Amino acid sequence: VDGGLQLSIAPNAIEVNALMSRQAYRFQDSAFQVEISQFASGSSTIGTFAAVTDAAENSYVIFNVFNGRLTAWRRWNGGTPVQIGSATLNPTQHRFLRLREANGRVYYETSANGVQWTTRWTLTHAFSDLDNLHGMIGAQTWGSPTSNPTPARFESVGIVTP
């Protein structure tokens, strides 16, 4: 739609509509970033996400936006997902989301313009293979589905390498 990518959720459905980079990339000293002009909405159990993950989705770091909240999560080796942080969503200030790796740490960053970044959370990662990760975006529902979901709209998606 107008040069952007729209990911929709079917009415009254519990589903994930996601896209993962076909080719793996080296996450070390690089970043995965997205520009989101519209976050999926319609109920407290519909979300929009951006993640860096292994192909099996056993280990990942992820931004998940739902119910008016910007949240950060991580999962290692198929374990239980752990929430790293949560903040009130500001669609203008959080239009750009970036997951960046540097010196063994992942930085969860946001920006209004894609140039000046604010670190929201950081953690030491436990990825076993930094050379074999994928960027992933999507919209999802869980719990009680909504009859009138609003789709997520991504304006840009990219991997930034040194």
Side-chain angles (χ1 to χ4, degrees), residues 20-49:
M20 180 187 291
S21 62
R22 178 179 233 169
Q23 228 175 331
Y25 78 100
R26 181 181 175 97
F27 188 44
Q28 185 174 5
D29 297 320
S30 70
F32 177 67
Q33 66 186 51
V34 300
E35 178 185 4
I36 305 171
S37 60
Q38 178 176 285
F39 294 94
S41 63
S43 79
S44 62
T45 58
I46 186 169
T48 305
F49 64 88

Side-chain angles (χ1 to χ4, degrees), residues 11 28 33 47 65 67 79 85 92 96 99 102 105 109 121 131 136:
Q28 185 174 5
Q33 66 186 51
V65 176
N67 199 26
T92 301
F96 291 83
L99 296 162
R105 299 191 63 77
E109 299 171 322
W121 305 282
D131 292 329
M136 186 175 184

Side-chain angles (χ1 to χ4, degrees), residues 4-149:
L5 173 65
Q6 183 171 294
L7 295 179
S8 300
I9 298 294
N12 303 309
I14 295 176
E15 66 179 356
V16 176
N17 189 355
L19 297 171
M20 180 187 291
S21 62
R22 178 179 233 169
Q23 228 175 331
Y25 78 100
R26 181 181 175 97
F27 188 44
Q28 185 174 5
D29 297 320
S30 70
F32 177 67
Q33 66 186 51
V34 300
E35 178 185 4
I36 305 171
S37 60
Q38 178 176 285
F39 294 94
S41 63
S43 79
S44 62
T45 58
I46 186 169
T48 305
F49 64 88
V52 172
T53 181
D54 61 19
E57 299 175 46
N58 286 322
S59 294
Y60 57 76
V61 290
I62 185 170
F63 272 113
N64 194 5
V65 176
F66 63 95
N67 199 26
R69 304 294 296 173
L70 172 70
T71 64
W73 300 77
R74 62 98 174 139
R75 179 179 179 192
W76 306 134
N77 303 312
T80 302
V82 174
Q83 186 172 348
I84 304 304
S86 176
T88 300
L89 176 67
N90 179 323
T92 301
Q93 294 301 312
H94 303 150
R95 183 177 178 102
F96 291 83
L97 305 178
R98 179 166 77 177
L99 296 162
R100 179 175 60 87
E101 195 281 342
N103 300 315
R105 299 191 63 77
V106 172
Y107 296 82
Y108 294 78
E109 299 171 322
T110 62
S111 174
N113 59 16
V115 176
Q116 296 173 315
W117 295 91
T118 300
T119 300
R120 301 292 172 185
W121 305 282
T122 184
L123 62 88
T124 301
H125 68 74
F127 286 116
S128 60
D129 184 2
L130 285 174
D131 292 329
N132 199 24
L133 297 176
H134 299 265
M136 186 175 184
I137 59 170
Q140 63 185 349
T141 56
W142 63 93
S144 301
T146 179
S147 62
N148 192 22

